[in-house]
Amino acid sequence: MTQQSESATTTTTTPEADDPASLSPRAESALSPSSAAPPYPPLAEPRPLAERRVWPRTFHDRLTAPLPGLKAFARFAREGAVRPGPEGLADIHRLPYAPGPLPRVDARGLAVTWAGHASWVLRIGGLTVLTDPVWSRRILGTPARITPVGVDWEALPRVDAVVISHNHYDHLDAPTLRRLPRHTPVFVPAGLARWFHRRRFTRVTELDWWEAAELEGVRFDFVPAHHWSKRSLTDTCRSLWGGWVMTAPDGRRVHFAGDTGYGHWFSRIGRRYPGIDLTLLPIGAYDPRWWLRDVHCDPEEAVRAFLDLGARHMAPMHWGTFILSAEPVLEPVVRVREAWAAAGLPREHLWDLPVGGSRVLE
């Protein structure tokens, strides 16, 4: 196994990071094209595609914070607020939903379309890439989705690759993946290839943090996230979790965060992958905060993560699709817009798309 080359200790938040006004100089630096520095440390050489590998039995050592113990579960059982109340659900009809045709882009174009939750149709380097594709109406343990899928499956072009962030049911959806040809290239975290092999996928590349592989000139780097993995009663942290940085042959770069809390990994990703053009960051499923802080960003933390990454644009995700926590359904996007403005960031660099919406990077 490739060992972590960076410390996994949690950094403390400085008073400067908590003061929105103090973010403006960081914002100016992040949005300046001249601010990109050479990657540090240098990027790893790409590994072979579909390489068969042996991994440790558990990835518990990669956790940023301990998983909840008996005391936390007892409190959760007492308080029990895992869904919004009637007032929080009243705005479901106002959730932005505006499906349209996929934008036309050539091999040098970069475009994204939000299908909902963490599912994106990404066009990069001439490839069509799906992130955490979930086209199902319902996933295990949650109510049915509250907005329809933003892209009809039949409207998709040929899918050239799929990236998976981790194995939770709202990110790894077996019914959706069954729709794909079994020779579709799939990029997954360490320890997750077996799940795909059992379903007869033949081109599965699993990577550790900071490792990469290339497909038709597009580089796929697997990067850390503040999260965990579990799909059954007996497989807690048996596979890794993380995000992806995808880089086109012309250097255009997209970061897909997957599922994550806020923490030190974002600044380290920004140093290793300077010049991120677009980051896809989660902003929902954060309430109650004491329960979810370690594994899900709130909207203000997502804006801080954007600044830590040094990215040019941010597209929010992981809200407005499945009800996973107690915040009102419209609150995430309202708060992220307020945090964006408070940080002094240009409004046009926040791509707060409706479900089904698209943007092309000029």
Side-chain angles (χ1 to χ4, degrees):
M1 181 188 77
T2 301
Q3 297 296 321
Q4 285 178 266
S5 56
E6 309 251 11
S7 169
T9 57
T10 305
T11 57
T12 58
T13 302
T14 64
E16 179 184 29
D18 286 333
D19 179 7
S22 71
L23 295 179
S24 294
R26 295 169 61 201
E28 184 178 352
S29 175
L31 297 171
S32 171
S34 62
S35 64
Y40 179 81
L43 301 183
E45 287 296 315
R47 299 191 66 93
L49 293 171
E51 180 184 19
R52 297 283 182 143
R53 305 180 67 179
V54 177
W55 301 103
R57 183 173 175 81
T58 179
F59 292 92
H60 275 88
D61 62 322
R62 306 298 184 89
L63 291 169
T64 306
L67 295 177
L70 291 176
K71 185 180 293 186
F73 277 104
R75 178 180 176 184
F76 187 77
R78 288 196 310 271
E79 299 183 4
V82 294
R83 300 286 184 267
E87 291 184 1
L89 296 172
D91 288 326
I92 285 179
H93 69 284
R94 297 177 56 202
L95 290 170
Y97 178 75
L102 295 175
R104 293 188 177 185
V105 293
D106 60 22
R108 293 175 295 178
L110 194 159
V112 291
T113 302
W114 189 33
H117 202 52
S119 302
W120 295 86
V121 183
L122 170 63
R123 319 291 286 282
I124 182 170
L127 301 183
T128 297
V129 181
L130 300 185
T131 69
D132 287 359
V134 179
W135 261 249
S136 296
R137 179 174 174 270
R138 185 185 296 273
I139 56 173
L140 184 68
T142 70
R145 59 195 308 149
I146 54 177
T147 49
V149 181
V151 181
D152 288 339
W153 188 264
E154 293 73 20
L156 289 173
R158 184 191 69 185
V159 175
D160 298 300
V162 172
V163 297
I164 301 295
S165 63
H166 64 299
N167 70 355
H168 289 160
Y169 281 88
D170 57 321
H171 295 260
L172 179 63
D173 183 51
T176 299
L177 293 166
R178 279 199 294 267
R179 300 185 181 194
L180 292 167
R182 296 305 186 268
H183 62 268
T184 304
V186 184
F187 296 87
V188 304
L192 198 52
R194 182 183 303 177
W195 189 93
F196 283 87
H197 290 151
R198 288 200 301 265
R199 288 155 181 82
R200 302 189 178 182
F201 282 85
T202 59
R203 301 176 67 188
V204 185
T205 302
E206 55 182 348
L207 298 174
D208 201 344
W209 289 347
W210 310 123
E211 291 184 340
E214 284 190 3
L215 177 68
E216 298 181 27
V218 176
R219 180 179 169 112
F220 294 78
D221 285 74
F222 190 52
V223 295
H226 300 272
H227 206 61
W228 65 304
S229 68
K230 184 181 181 68
R231 202 166 173 89
S232 71
L233 294 175
T234 60
D235 67 349
T236 302
C237 296
R238 294 287 179 86
S239 61
L240 199 49
W241 52 91
W244 294 91
V245 174
M246 289 157 278
T247 307
D250 64 0
R252 290 194 175 194
R253 181 167 277 169
V254 176
H255 169 247
F256 168 65
D259 229 353
T260 181
Y262 177 74
H264 65 290
W265 287 130
F266 289 109
S267 61
R268 299 185 187 190
I269 293 167
R271 286 203 302 269
R272 284 191 183 231
Y273 305 94
I276 293 172
D277 293 287
L278 171 65
T279 178
L280 312 173
L281 283 169
I283 66 168
Y286 51 79
D287 188 27
R289 207 72 200 105
W290 69 267
W291 178 255
L292 294 167
R293 179 185 305 276
D294 293 329
V295 294
H296 287 163
C297 288
D298 66 21
E300 293 77 17
E301 290 170 334
V303 173
R304 287 163 59 191
F306 163 80
L307 292 167
D308 291 350
L309 289 164
R312 289 177 54 207
H313 302 85
M314 169 182 161
M317 64 174 183
H318 207 270
W319 75 280
T321 307
F322 295 108
I323 297 176
L324 303 174
S325 56
E327 72 271 6
V329 294
L330 267 179
E331 183 179 279
V333 74
V334 171
R335 284 176 54 177
V336 82
R337 289 168 180 166
E338 292 173 348
W340 194 266
L345 294 162
R347 183 63 180 83
E348 64 272 18
H349 289 255
L350 177 64
W351 292 3
D352 47 341
L353 299 176
V355 175
S358 299
R359 288 293 293 266
V360 178
L361 184 70
E362 303 297 340

